[in-house]
Amino acid sequence: MSSRIIPVQPFDYVVFGATGDLTRRKLIPALYHRFKDAQFDEQSRIIGVSRTKLTDAEFQKAARDSIEQFVEPEYRDAATIDRFIGCFSYVANDVTNEANWGDLSKKLRDDPKIIRAFYLAIAPDLFGPTCEYIQKKKYYRRDARVVIEKPLGHDLASSMAINDAVSKIFKEDQVYRIDHYLGKETVQNLLALRFANILFEPIWNSAHIDHVQITVAESVGAGTRGYYDESGALRDMVQNHIIQLLCLVAMEPPASDDANALRDEKLKVLRSLKPVTGADVARATVRGQYRAGSVDGAAVASYQDELPAEKKGSHTETFVALKAEIENWRWSGVPFYIRTGKRLPSRASEIVIQFRHIPHSIFDHAEGAPRANTLVIRIQPDEGVKLFLMIKDPGPGGMRLREVPLNLSFAEAFAERTPEAYERLLLDVVRGQQTLFMRRDELEAAWTWIDPIRDAWNASPDAPQQYMSGTWGPTAAIALIERDGRTWHEDGN
Ligand code: BG6
């Protein structure tokens, strides 16, 4: 694998929120893998910043623990870990209080060849003050990057406020808004599948595609994250990850892989989404909340039981299904059915492109009716692509038709480990490559589409429909698609 690795320029990565969960679970392990593959070396620095008073050595110990806990044993190598840990240092700092701002100037290098990036793994209401201090303390450079991550607001207005605060200091070409789904290998493969092959693009339209399904299912529950109850599945998963997937499926071919060429096309999709408002919300959306049940053979509690006393009775949805429509020439009349939820039977995310039936069959009934072709892009786990085709059932006894998948399993085809999304994204920041990050107008267009759905739900006295943990959501989600004479894809092959 290392032969294909192109090292990046040395960097100073300042991570605000360095003792938090995201840093521990995702950022440190991701950087470790990139270091291990020699994509960067000891010339680079990772500077942790957080309120907790820690010495460099204590922070290095915390980084070591995170590797022990979140990097698979076969990739842990004592000598590499020691070298990697040497890149870490720490500054105690309270971003809410100017008097307690630590001194980063000794850690940051002035050399313009050293890339400077600030990762704000902190609450969004601290983005503005942090950016201002960065400037005030003269840590800002015109070529510095700032990385921010959701929740980027809870509606259009709050999202604009966050973007305004950041953009007072950093220009749009310096802002990297992470949606980690865009860093997933299979999501990038969608671009390769569509635009590096001649096969699909001529039939990628309403003349040949009946509908599209996007499912992002999780078997885990909402856990005890206070944030989730404020957010719910629509804002937590649909507004960002799923809408991004929808854009990649639906966009026109960009002229190049230039960040703005691609993001311009995604934006056009977002602006073509048919608004779901007023009475349409009840027809086109379903929201659910899990009851107790059993997942993977283990009994699990209901969402309500997991909530602290003061939140009992919450109407927050842990499941959403909806029908989206894109009002443009290519997709007119092709619904996009979306569903996502917690405590579903398994962790399974996929995009299903359901093609239309052949216009005329030359086979009679005894031979079996040809089924419409289906393309399934499996995002996780078991990443791969399956194209369901009709073939002749092998053997004598006449012509009988059978559906079989052409199956490209990435695990079988490539021996290499699949990198985590953050590995790609963290280093794209260093490279100055914004293609896989959301532009401000995209984010705001997504909120513009989401807000009326949320508003209609808030205005309704109804609670989300209950579904038993370990099932595919409320029955209304099945009715949503079956009303249109279609069914959710179930992969029996
Ligand atoms: C996060 C959501 O953005 O994505 C979580 O906040 C969710 O609720 C997670 O579990 C899913 O990510 P992945 O990579 O495990 O599919």
Side-chain angles (χ1 to χ4, degrees):
M1 174 145 187
S2 19
S3 58
R4 293 208 308 270
I5 303 271
I6 303 169
V8 295
Q9 261 174 266
F11 54 78
D12 286 342
Y13 232 118
V14 183
V15 181
F16 289 88
T19 53
D21 233 33
L22 180 70
T23 309
R24 223 162 46 85
R25 286 173 180 275
K26 299 288 182 189
L27 307 187
I28 293 174
L31 287 168
Y32 170 74
H33 278 294
R34 295 299 87 230
F35 182 87
K36 186 168 181 300
D37 279 346
Q39 208 151 17
F40 68 93
D41 62 19
E42 294 91 330
Q43 293 180 64
S44 289
R45 291 182 186 167
I46 298 148
I47 304 153
V49 177
S50 161
R51 222 178 323 187
T52 320
K53 296 241 175 310
L54 293 180
T55 60
D56 284 349
E58 283 167 333
F59 183 52
Q60 289 177 341
K61 163 83 174 55
R64 207 177 270 281
D65 291 347
S66 130
I67 295 168
E68 286 296 315
Q69 207 180 339
F70 298 109
V71 173
E72 310 80 337
E74 71 254 47
Y75 301 108
R76 284 187 232 142
D77 165 76
T80 311
I81 296 177
D82 285 345
R83 285 174 42 236
F84 175 62
I85 291 299
C87 299
F88 282 71
S89 62
Y90 186 81
V91 177
N93 181 40
D94 179 357
V95 292
T96 59
N97 181 345
E98 189 170 1
N100 294 342
W101 254 72
D103 186 4
L104 284 172
S105 61
K106 291 198 189 62
K107 309 276 180 179
L108 290 170
R109 291 165 290 178
D110 266 336
D111 183 347
K113 287 207 253 354
I114 296 188
I115 306 289
R116 185 172 292 182
F118 299 98
Y119 198 120
L120 310 190
I122 50 180
D125 55 341
L126 299 175
F127 291 171
T130 305
C131 291
E132 278 176 28
Y133 285 134
I134 286 174
Q135 190 188 49
K136 200 162 173 184
K137 303 277 176 182
K138 303 202 168 30
Y139 308 145
Y140 175 85
R141 275 188 350 206
R142 176 63 184 93
D143 63 351
R145 295 91 155 110
V146 66
V147 188
I148 55 179
E149 184 158 4
K150 85 173 197 352
L152 296 174
H154 50 87
D155 58 11
L156 177 62
S158 53
S159 157
M160 288 173 79
I162 291 172
N163 282 320
D164 284 345
V166 173
S167 68
K168 263 199 213 153
I169 311 297
F170 290 94
K171 307 275 172 290
E172 184 62 30
D173 64 7
Q174 297 175 275
V175 183
Y176 290 73
R177 292 181 194 83
I178 288 203
D179 182 313
H180 80 278
Y181 266 58
L182 292 177
K184 288 184 190 275
E185 281 284 300
T186 15
V187 175
Q188 292 163 55
N189 240 311
L190 199 52
L191 295 175
L193 194 73
R194 284 194 62 194
F195 305 129
N197 296 292
I198 190 87
L199 280 186
F200 296 112
E201 212 44 35
I203 54 170
W204 208 259
N205 54 46
S206 61
H208 301 93
I209 294 179
D210 177 74
H211 73 277
V212 175
Q213 298 180 14
I214 303 178
T215 296
V216 178
E218 295 185 279
S219 53
V220 293
T224 48
R225 290 194 302 165
Y227 146 81
Y228 192 86
D229 196 59
E230 303 299 316
S231 160
L234 185 70
R235 292 193 276 227
D236 186 48
M237 298 296 286
V238 180
Q239 187 273 339
N240 36 69
H241 308 324
I242 294 186
I243 286 196
Q244 287 293 325
L245 297 179
L246 179 145
C247 285
L248 294 179
V249 172
M251 71 183 187
E252 295 301 313
S256 72
D257 71 350
D258 167 76
N260 281 329
L262 194 119
R263 297 185 299 177
D264 286 345
E265 295 307 334
K266 286 197 288 166
L267 182 65
K268 287 183 206 161
V269 174
L270 286 160
R271 293 195 171 150
S272 312
L273 278 170
K274 181 177 175 194
V276 182
T277 53
D280 287 345
V281 174
R283 269 193 296 274
T285 73
V286 173
R287 58 190 168 130
Q289 194 182 73
Y290 58 82
R291 284 195 272 124
S294 139
V295 179
D296 290 335
V300 292
S302 70
Y303 181 69
Q304 291 294 336
D305 283 342
E306 290 171 347
L307 287 173
E310 69 279 10
K311 294 214 161 143
K312 300 276 183 222
S314 155
H315 281 190
T316 297
E317 78 287 356
T318 59
F319 177 96
V320 185
L322 56 84
K323 177 177 168 181
E325 291 170 84
I326 301 173
E327 297 186 303
N328 65 16
W329 196 290
R330 188 190 280 261
W331 294 114
S332 178
V334 181
F336 283 63
Y337 298 99
I338 286 169
R339 63 178 169 165
T340 183
K342 305 262 185 211
R343 290 277 190 244
L344 301 187
S346 54
R347 178 172 185 254
S349 301
E350 62 185 24
I351 299 170
V352 177
I353 312 291
Q354 182 60 60
F355 290 97
R356 290 195 184 280
H357 283 284
I358 51 168
H360 167 74
S361 176
I362 62 168
F363 305 101
D364 68 26
H365 272 310
E367 293 163 342
R371 298 176 69 166
N373 300 131
T374 311
L375 175 69
V376 180
I377 301 152
R378 179 84 175 182
I379 296 165
Q380 64 190 24
D382 313 323
E383 291 87 346
V385 176
K386 276 187 192 174
L387 177 60
F388 289 83
L389 299 172
M390 296 306 293
I391 59 151
K392 176 191 170 296
D393 207 3
M399 182 67 143
R400 267 206 195 84
L401 297 175
R402 190 164 124 187
E403 185 185 49
V404 288
L406 256 182
N407 189 356
L408 170 60
S409 152
F410 294 158
E412 283 166 23
F414 310 103
E416 298 152 358
R417 65 178 272 280
T418 306
E420 278 273 338
Y422 282 93
E423 296 179 41
R424 169 72 196 258
L425 297 174
L426 282 167
L427 291 207
D428 273 1
V429 172
V430 176
R431 290 186 194 97
Q433 173 56 266
Q434 284 186 308
T435 309
L436 298 178
F437 296 83
M438 290 179 296
R439 210 168 54 190
R440 175 174 182 160
D441 47 10
E442 276 183 77
L443 186 70
E444 293 178 357
W447 279 120
T448 303
W449 189 70
I450 289 288
D451 277 357
I453 300 177
R454 186 77 261 163
D455 290 346
W457 287 354
N458 287 347
S460 155
D462 301 338
Q465 303 187 33
Q466 300 279 299
Y467 61 97
M468 198 195 290
S469 289
T471 67
W472 284 101
T475 46
I478 299 169
L480 175 82
I481 190 165
E482 295 201 340
R483 258 201 314 270
D484 294 345
R486 300 172 174 120
T487 51
W488 292 107
H489 174 79
E490 268 178 52
D491 189 350
N493 290 275

